[in-house]
Amino acid sequence: MTKIPVHLDINGQRHELQLEPRVTLLDALRERLGLTGTKKGCDHGQCGACTVHMDGERVLACLTLAAQAEGRTITTIEGLAREGELHPVQAAFLEQDAFQCGYCTSGQIMSAVACIREGHAGSDEEIREYMAGNLCRCGAYPHIVAAVRQAAQEFAS
C-alpha cells in the first residue's frame, strides 16, 4: 500500500508520519501517536466523540483525513491543560459533574471550548443548540450545560 509523508503539528509538537492516504486524523491520533483522549464513537461523524480543534476550529477527526491536517495546528484534549493546570472548561466539567461514563467527555469539552470561544454560550438554549452535535448516552446534558455556562462566566469576568 502506498504511503505518503504527513507532518502534523499536534498540541505544539511536530510529528512526521508515513501514512496511507485514506488514514483519518482520528486513527492517526489514536493508533499512530497514542493520543487516545480523542474517542472513536460512531466513526460516521454523528456523535462528536472525536471532536478536536484544527487551526482553532472544531472538526470531527473521524471525517478528516490526516493528510488534510498537513500544515494545520491540531489541538486534542491532551493539549488543553497547560503546565499542569486544567483548562477552565475541564475544571468546570469536574466541578459540575458533567460526565458520567466519561466516554463522550473529551469531545464535549473540545466543543465546549469552541462554543465559548465563538461566542455561543450566551444562554442555556444557545449552549444546547451549539453542543447538539455531541451526544451523551448517559444523559449528563444538564451538567454539561452548567459546566459550559460556568466556564463562559469565568472567561467573561
Side-chain angles (χ1 to χ4, degrees):
M1 186 62 70
T2 302
K3 293 189 176 184
I4 59 172
V6 178
H7 306 93
L8 301 174
D9 178 7
I10 302 168
N11 302 329
Q13 196 169 19
R14 186 173 168 88
H15 300 273
E16 297 182 22
L17 302 169
Q18 291 288 324
L19 301 172
E20 294 177 23
R22 64 182 180 172
V23 170
T24 65
L25 179 58
L26 175 61
D27 288 340
L29 292 170
R30 291 184 56 82
E31 297 172 13
R32 305 303 198 294
L33 299 171
L35 295 169
T36 57
T38 303
K39 301 302 183 199
K40 183 178 261 190
C42 67
D43 212 19
H44 291 89
Q46 297 176 349
C47 73
C50 65
T51 303
V52 298
H53 295 171
M54 185 181 314
D55 292 339
E57 295 186 13
R58 70 179 178 163
V59 297
L60 297 171
C62 73
L63 297 182
T64 305
L65 295 174
Q68 291 175 293
E70 172 88 33
R72 316 279 295 273
T73 301
I74 307 299
T75 304
T76 69
I77 191 73
E78 291 94 344
L80 282 185
R82 299 276 184 227
E83 300 174 12
E85 292 285 325
L86 291 177
H87 185 279
V89 173
Q90 292 172 308
F93 266 64
L94 283 173
E95 290 175 26
Q96 295 294 331
D97 192 23
F99 53 93
Q100 291 181 11
C101 79
Y103 197 81
C104 71
T105 303
S106 59
Q108 297 275 4
I109 289 173
M110 296 307 288
S111 284
V113 169
C115 175
I116 295 167
R117 185 175 30 223
E118 295 173 16
H120 298 288
S123 68
D124 287 0
E125 184 174 291
E126 190 177 20
I127 293 167
R128 280 189 203 96
E129 183 175 328
Y130 189 90
M131 300 290 292
N134 290 80
L135 303 180
C136 169
R137 291 182 179 176
C138 303
Y141 295 114
H143 299 280
I144 292 168
V145 171
V148 175
R149 184 180 346 104
Q150 176 185 325
Q153 290 168 347
E154 290 176 21
F155 280 112
S157 61

